[in-house]
Amino acid sequence: MKTKCLIIGSGPAGYTAAIYASRANLQPVLIEGPQLGGQLTTTTEVENFPGYPDGVEPFQMMDDMRRQAERFGTTFVSGIVTKVELNTDGSKLKAHKVWVEDTDLYEADAVIIATGASAKYLGIESERTYKGRGVSACATCDGFFYRKKTVAVVGGGDTACEEANYLAGLCEKVYMIVRKPYLRASEIMQQRVLNNPKIEVLFEHNTLQLTGDGKVEGADLVYRKGEPDEQLRHIAINGFFLAIGHHPNTELFAGFLARDAEGYIITDGASTQCFSLPFREGQGVGLPGVFAAGDCADPHYRQAIVAAGSGAKAAIEADKYIKSL
Ligand code: NDP
């Protein structure tokens, strides 16, 4: 299939790019990817997206965005992009190639990458052993299974606080395992956690391993590891929720686009224009027709509203590029 504008990803960046691109009459095709609605759908409630004074349920918000893009003519393809071949030879006439599920080839003049980011895990072996059997990176998805039980949330950021609060509404008790002596989360989220009698914050604790017979039944922790007062501690838990940040979903583009040390796509200053390889700081060469928006290119803000804004920018830049062909 040949299209002027192909958008990869169905989070706020992808859908906003689709709204703008379809209103510019680019008839975009949007590949929805493995998580319809993106990362936001793994949270409970969105309170800081302008236009929703009473907050909004994330699935509702993403569905609103999708319907808005559909109204102006976006075509949606459900599937996962498995391979890309971006046109790196500078010829404006040659299209970029994107394969969905290895078989369906899409050729596009402009590609907007809005693939977002995914949850990180600690990397301990028992985490893999119990994945799906007590280990989860999404309280909204799995919290229901732990009603009236005891769980732990790892992390001290906004996500961890939000998840701990959500789980406290379902569970008997929630531990927060925080490696530093303080929380990194915003003040309002910290207060909600610290004032919740069901949540116990274990500062300066790290997880050594999970224990249990076929499913998570406990966690071995270490307090102030390496310090003279180091102590081991065991907590009995039924669920172990990771909330320690994310890594960008950009591996597909590794051979074509400049990325930073963590894998975030590097864009040209305030623009969403991507750089081709080899890349040298301050001397990057733009890859014509390839733009990145949202968390896959944003190690700093990682907010839905910022992702949506960059999606709009990417579509405007793609439109300008397509008109120049
Ligand atoms: P953050 O990067 O902000 O926080 C990650 C947390 O996990 C930190 O406390 C960090 O500890 C801890 N951590 C990281 N690696 C490990 C490890 N190996 N072992 C133990 N702990 C670890 O990620 P978030 O997902 O919380 O937030 C990302 C962004 O999204 C932020 O900008 C946040 O403000 C925003 N956000 C906003 C929300 C809202 O406004 N409603 C909701 C959710 C997120 P340390 O502090 O020691 O580095």
Side-chain angles (χ1 to χ4, degrees):
M1 183 179 178
K2 179 93 177 67
T3 177
K4 283 187 227 167
C5 179
L6 187 89
I7 299 163
I8 310 175
S10 60
Y15 282 151
T16 308
I19 293 166
Y20 275 70
S22 50
R23 290 190 80 251
N25 206 24
L26 299 183
Q27 291 129 7
V29 171
L30 184 148
I31 317 289
E32 294 180 316
Q35 191 170 23
L36 184 63
Q39 257 189 95
L40 206 68
T41 58
T42 65
T43 65
T44 38
E45 197 187 357
V46 182
E47 291 182 334
N48 50 10
F49 201 93
Y52 295 98
D54 302 319
V56 61
E57 200 266 316
F59 283 104
Q60 180 64 54
M61 187 171 107
M62 299 319 296
D63 192 52
D64 288 347
M65 287 191 193
R66 189 182 193 276
R67 285 191 297 115
Q68 199 170 347
E70 194 170 30
R71 178 181 156 205
F72 297 111
T74 300
T75 301
F76 298 97
V77 174
S78 79
I80 297 173
V81 173
T82 48
K83 185 181 153 190
V84 299
E85 228 175 76
L86 302 178
N87 168 20
T88 52
D89 71 7
S91 148
K92 282 191 166 185
L93 296 173
K94 217 168 119 191
H96 301 291
K97 294 180 179 172
V98 171
W99 281 264
V100 175
E101 311 289 1
D102 289 330
T103 49
D104 300 347
L105 170 63
Y106 290 81
E107 294 189 279
D109 295 326
V111 174
I112 296 174
I113 302 166
T115 46
S118 299
K120 279 185 189 166
Y121 286 80
L122 292 174
I124 55 175
E125 201 183 320
S126 47
E127 206 176 33
R128 282 188 293 276
T129 313
Y130 298 108
K131 202 165 174 186
R133 284 181 289 165
V135 173
S136 166
C138 177
T140 323
C141 319
D142 300 326
F144 185 75
F145 303 115
Y146 300 92
R147 277 167 302 159
K148 299 196 167 48
K149 296 196 169 160
T150 297
V151 298
V153 176
V154 188
D158 278 318
T159 305
C161 289
E162 201 172 84
E163 306 239 314
N165 264 309
Y166 173 74
L167 290 165
L170 295 166
C171 303
E172 187 72 32
K173 180 177 175 83
V174 179
Y175 290 105
M176 275 186 81
I177 305 170
V178 181
R179 66 181 176 182
K180 293 240 171 80
Y182 55 85
L183 294 168
R184 184 202 283 215
S186 54
E187 194 57 35
I188 186 169
M189 297 304 282
Q190 291 194 32
Q191 288 314 317
R192 283 183 197 169
V193 158
L194 298 170
N195 293 331
N196 191 322
K198 280 193 178 175
I199 302 175
E200 182 181 342
V201 185
L202 304 175
F203 288 109
E204 296 185 81
H205 280 74
N206 278 289
T207 311
L208 295 175
Q209 63 164 347
L210 301 170
T211 58
D213 187 8
K215 59 182 191 315
V216 171
E217 288 170 346
D220 291 334
L221 310 179
V222 56
Y223 170 69
R224 287 174 63 81
K225 186 172 168 39
E227 300 298 324
D229 55 349
E230 176 182 315
Q231 276 173 36
L232 297 178
R233 176 173 180 182
H234 180 83
I235 53 171
I237 50 169
N238 309 103
F240 186 77
F241 289 84
L242 282 307
I244 60 168
H246 294 84
H247 68 84
N249 301 320
T250 61
E251 285 77 11
L252 272 175
F253 311 100
F256 301 96
L257 298 179
R259 300 183 304 155
D260 71 8
E262 287 183 73
Y264 289 94
I265 295 173
I266 300 172
T267 54
D268 191 1
S271 151
T272 63
Q273 171 70 63
C274 298
F275 290 115
S276 56
L277 294 172
F279 173 76
R280 282 181 52 205
E281 187 91 44
Q283 298 172 21
V285 177
L287 186 56
V290 182
F291 308 92
D295 285 12
C296 67
D298 177 10
H300 302 294
Y301 302 106
R302 295 176 288 188
Q303 299 296 305
I305 187 66
V306 179
S310 69
K313 288 204 291 188
I316 291 168
E317 288 169 356
D319 183 39
K320 198 169 159 201
Y321 170 76
I322 289 163
K323 290 204 169 97
S324 77
L325 294 176

